[in-house]
Amino acid sequence: MTARPFGIDDPRLMNALSAYVKLLRASKAVLGQIEKRLAQDGLTATQIGVLEGILHLGPLTQRELGRKVLTSAGNMTDVIDKLAARGLVTRARAPQDRRSVIVDLTPAGRELIEKTFPQHAQDIAAAMAGLDTAELATLETLLRKLGTAIG
């Protein structure tokens, strides 16, 4: 008989709780694998997300970057501060709205992300190698559906 935490008897709640725990564990396992190599380059997952976002989308505001890498405004400021201190990004006030700060790559930042991103992508693929192509596609669909349903 399966234990019912805190007296929960609703099967949908139990399924949601079980899926949530598995989602967190899987996420931590994948992140744990990719963080090893990132640390060798002196980067965190959030920092490489910022550099990659700017590389592929061009200069972005701190707010846009925060949304892309799913971090708070306060944490984004800290992340950008650290990247700027290393000479990897620049910040400038947006001419159309001086309240916004636009973040862009420096030549050193572009060089670093162009050098590290292919290996980062390979590390992600290796961490997710337990799933075949069809399973990865299903996972992507389900996670997108979940994210959209939440808002």
Side-chain angles (χ1 to χ4, degrees):
M1 180 174 180
T2 302
R4 304 273 183 208
F6 309 109
I8 296 173
D9 292 324
D10 183 342
R12 176 143 172 76
L13 281 174
M14 289 298 300
N15 289 342
L17 181 61
S18 178
Y20 172 77
V21 169
K22 287 172 181 61
L23 178 63
L24 285 181
R25 285 184 181 154
S27 178
K28 286 182 184 214
V30 170
L31 194 57
Q33 288 297 306
I34 64 170
E35 284 179 329
K36 292 174 188 174
R37 191 171 326 258
L38 289 176
Q40 294 173 0
D41 291 313
L43 294 170
T44 66
T46 303
Q47 289 171 335
I48 200 167
V50 166
L51 296 174
E52 185 271 332
I54 299 169
L55 177 69
H56 290 110
L57 300 173
L60 296 167
T61 67
Q62 280 191 206
R63 180 176 292 202
E64 290 168 327
L65 284 166
R67 287 185 191 129
K68 297 252 178 257
V69 298
L70 305 174
T71 194
S72 69
N75 188 51
M76 183 52 58
T77 298
D78 184 56
V79 168
I80 299 300
D81 285 347
K82 289 177 179 164
L83 291 171
R86 290 181 57 191
L88 301 175
V89 298
T90 59
R91 282 189 268 212
R93 293 281 173 194
Q96 69 277 20
D97 181 358
R98 301 226 3 106
R99 296 171 297 175
S100 291
V101 175
I102 298 182
V103 182
D104 199 0
L105 294 172
T106 64
R110 179 170 297 280
E111 182 181 332
L112 178 65
I113 189 62
E114 286 177 348
K115 177 187 85 137
T116 60
F117 188 75
Q119 183 62 55
H120 178 62
Q122 287 180 5
D123 291 344
I124 292 169
M128 300 184 81
L131 300 177
D132 65 30
T133 302
E135 290 168 328
L136 285 170
T138 299
L139 178 62
E140 183 179 354
T141 299
L142 292 171
L143 292 173
R144 182 176 291 120
K145 182 177 180 179
L146 177 62
T148 302
I150 293 171

